[in-house]
Amino acid sequence: MKNMWDEVRTGFQDAAQGVARFIDNDAWEWWTPAVGDWNLLDLTNHMMRALSAPARHASEAPPTGATISSAAGYYAIYLAERAEDPELDLRVTRRAADHELVASTVVAAFDRAVAAAIAAVDAMEGERLATTPFGAMRMRDYLPTRTLELVVHGLDFAHAVDYRWDVPETALAQATALVADLARIIGKGEMLLMAATGRSWANAVFPVLV
C-alpha cells in the first residue's frame, strides 16, 4: 500500500508526464493564444517553472521549520497577498512571458524539465522542508501545489488547441481535493458546492491561478 508521500509523488509525476505526452504534437501552433495574454509557449514556460521547483528545492539548504501546514494554506496565503497587492498576478504573467523558448525545441525542453523534476522528487523524503514564496513547507504539503498548476494549466493548453486531455486519475483527485479544501478554509465551500452542482447563481467562486 502506498503511503501519503508516494501518492503525492505519483500525482505530480502523472501530471507532468501526462502534459508532456500531449504537448508533443507537430500540429500545435505555439503562438496560439492560450490564457489571458499568454500564448502556448508562454503557458508551457509557466508549467516548466512548476516543474523546476523540486530540483531547486533539492539543491537548497532546507529551512529550520515549516510555517505553512498544507497545500490549501499555501494558496490561502497567496490569495490574501493578491488581495493586498494588485500587481502580484501581473508579475506572474510577465515571468511566464519572459523566456527564450522556440517552437522547434520547446517539447525537448519540456521533456528535460519533466525528467529532472521526477528525478528530484524520487530522491526526496516527504518531510524535507522547502522554502516557498509564501513560507516554509514540507515537500509532501508543497508538491500538490505544483500538481494543481500542471493539471489546471495542462487543461488550459488542451482547451486552447481543442484537445481532449484525460487527466491522470491520481493527479486529478489531488487537484480537485486541494481546490475543495482551499474553498473550505477561505469560506467559499458552500459556493463551490453550489457551482459544482450546477447552480447558475454560483458560477463564479474564486480565481486560484492566473
Side-chain angles (χ1 to χ4, degrees):
M1 178 180 295
K2 289 184 177 181
N3 61 31
M4 176 184 176
W5 176 231
D6 287 339
E7 288 285 349
V8 167
R9 287 190 297 189
T10 297
F12 175 79
Q13 293 168 359
D14 286 355
Q17 291 172 332
V19 173
R21 280 192 292 270
F22 83 75
I23 71 169
D24 186 3
N25 189 323
D26 291 338
W28 305 150
E29 297 180 349
W30 290 90
W31 54 90
T32 298
V35 178
D37 293 331
W38 292 344
N39 60 29
L40 294 180
L41 279 174
D42 301 333
L43 180 58
T44 301
N45 182 58
H46 184 69
M47 288 191 285
M48 287 173 66
R49 292 179 64 87
L51 289 169
S52 69
R56 183 176 69 251
H57 293 314
S59 68
E60 296 173 346
T64 56
T67 57
I68 305 174
S69 61
S70 70
Y74 172 93
Y75 277 115
I77 294 171
Y78 166 69
L79 291 174
E81 293 206 6
R82 183 166 67 178
E84 293 292 326
D85 180 6
E87 296 293 311
L88 181 58
D89 279 354
L90 182 59
R91 290 194 295 273
V92 172
T93 300
R94 286 173 175 167
R95 282 199 302 269
D98 183 17
H99 60 82
E100 297 179 355
L101 295 177
V102 295
S104 61
T105 60
V106 61
V107 171
F110 195 87
D111 285 344
R112 288 193 297 271
V114 169
I118 290 175
V121 168
D122 281 344
M124 282 184 187
E125 296 296 330
E127 295 301 308
R128 190 189 195 284
L129 294 174
T131 302
T132 79
F134 305 114
M137 301 178 68
R138 294 177 180 84
M139 282 301 299
R140 62 177 170 81
D141 298 318
Y142 176 66
L143 196 60
T145 71
R146 304 306 88 194
T147 302
L148 177 64
E149 294 271 349
L150 290 167
V151 169
V152 171
H153 290 311
L155 288 167
D156 285 333
F157 189 115
H159 177 73
V161 297
D162 195 26
Y163 175 83
R164 166 73 184 186
W165 180 37
D166 292 319
V167 181
E169 183 177 342
T170 301
L172 183 61
Q174 291 177 11
T176 53
L178 172 48
V179 171
D181 195 29
L182 173 58
R184 179 186 57 80
I185 69 173
I186 67 171
K188 300 275 190 169
E190 294 89 347
M191 277 296 182
L192 179 61
L193 178 62
M194 293 296 97
T197 52
R199 274 60 181 175
S200 59
W201 49 266
N203 58 3
V205 183
F206 56 93
V208 178
L209 304 181
V210 174

